[in-house]
Amino acid sequence: MSLYRWRGVSQVRVFVGFDNFSRLFGDPVFWQSLAHNLALLIGAGGIILVLSLAIAHGVRGNSRSARVLRGVYLFPQVTPLVVVAILWMFIFNPSFGIMNATLRNVGLEKLAVPWLGTSGTALPAVGVAFVWHALGFYIMLFSAGLQTIPDEVREAATLDGAHGLALLWRVTLPMLWAVLRVAMIYLVINALNIFALVFLMTQGGPDRHTEVMLTYLYEQAFKNSDFGFATALAVANLVVVLLLSGMVVAAFRRDPQGART
């Protein structure tokens, strides 16, 4: 379909070869939307990895309180995206939202802005909602990985003088190498395929400052009835996901403990 000009409902399809891709690569909105996807991947994805690993380390174990906390952190992940989007739209509402109300109450009224309606804050606000929604899955993932590390290994490393960050860097992370690889691949897929959260919260606005590839695809297909170009967008999205996932696999191919994965 990406090689045709097609309006979606017509039986007429005109073969145009790679014209849709030539148009795509010359489209500044495509590159802008791709940049937003990558910004979410690097910014929100980095925060997710750090927070989820820290929280999973803090609530490790099989005690009742640890299991309850892991369930609490997982709750946003099982909440429908529509509910998540509406919740954060209320939080960021400029008139009665919790964010601006809190800023006004602590004397920081100058910082109270329309978070989803300002070009400089809209994408970070969507990123916050993305982190909140996705965090629980990665906490669960790292919690499962931490449980596979024998306590004897940590105790031996502690006796050898490894504490704090040294213990994390030299013992915990190398033994979580396979889990980190899976987490990174999931982050690539989730950040590059984000749609519902952005569409419901901002619809790509203001002035395309939160436009991502799939919201732009939706616009081209279902608003402009340009299904050929929209399908070219879908192919480009797939290629980017595959390339980044391949880079993650290549980067994590060599296990720091010496094992080949």
Side-chain angles (χ1 to χ4, degrees):
M1 283 302 173
S2 64
L3 303 179
Y4 288 84
R5 183 168 66 246
W6 183 47
R7 298 193 61 82
V9 294
S10 172
Q11 294 184 355
V12 178
R13 293 184 297 172
V14 179
F15 182 78
V16 294
F18 290 97
D19 286 357
N20 286 326
F21 291 98
S22 298
R23 175 186 164 193
L24 178 68
F25 294 139
D27 187 353
V29 179
F30 165 71
W31 295 108
Q32 183 182 14
S33 62
L34 175 59
H36 292 157
N37 279 109
L38 295 177
L40 287 172
L41 173 62
I42 296 170
I47 293 173
I48 288 171
L49 284 178
V50 172
L51 281 182
S52 58
L53 181 57
I55 294 173
H57 191 270
V59 298
R60 69 183 186 277
N62 290 316
S63 65
R64 182 177 180 182
S65 59
R67 291 196 300 269
V68 170
L69 285 173
R70 284 197 292 268
V72 170
Y73 291 125
L74 188 62
F75 176 74
Q77 177 68 34
V78 299
T79 303
L81 268 175
V82 174
V83 177
V84 173
I86 293 173
L87 171 65
W88 283 96
M89 286 172 65
F90 273 104
I91 291 174
F92 289 126
N93 188 281
S95 301
F96 53 81
I98 297 174
M99 179 66 73
N100 283 352
T102 302
L103 291 172
R104 294 187 185 102
N105 289 335
V106 298
L108 298 175
E109 188 170 353
K110 291 183 178 180
L111 299 179
V113 298
W115 295 93
L116 297 175
T118 304
S119 59
T121 60
L123 189 63
V126 172
V128 169
F130 176 60
V131 170
W132 184 82
H133 173 69
L135 190 63
F137 171 79
Y138 296 92
I139 293 174
M140 181 182 66
L141 191 65
F142 284 123
S143 294
L146 287 169
Q147 289 182 6
T148 64
I149 301 177
D151 292 335
E152 294 81 2
V153 174
R154 292 196 188 93
E155 293 171 1
T158 303
L159 291 174
D160 287 340
H163 300 280
L165 290 177
L167 180 64
L168 174 67
W169 187 256
R170 295 182 178 275
V171 178
T172 304
L173 287 181
M175 300 193 73
L176 287 177
W177 201 249
V179 178
L180 279 170
R181 179 176 57 194
V182 172
M184 287 291 294
I185 292 174
Y186 268 110
L187 275 174
V188 168
I189 295 171
N190 290 335
L192 270 296
N193 288 330
I194 188 172
F195 169 73
L197 195 64
V198 176
F199 183 78
L200 292 168
M201 292 182 70
T202 64
Q203 294 191 10
D207 195 25
R208 298 195 184 276
H209 279 86
T210 60
E211 194 81 77
V212 292
M213 283 192 287
L214 294 192
T215 57
Y216 190 42
L217 184 155
Y218 178 89
E219 175 187 330
Q220 293 299 321
F222 298 103
K223 292 184 179 180
N224 299 342
S225 297
D226 194 347
F227 277 80
F229 182 65
T231 311
L233 264 167
V235 173
N237 176 267
L238 172 64
V239 171
V240 173
V241 171
L242 290 176
L243 284 175
L244 291 178
S245 299
M247 291 170 61
V248 171
V249 172
F252 282 79
R253 183 177 299 277
R254 183 175 179 82
D255 194 300
Q257 301 178 87
R260 291 283 182 175
T261 56

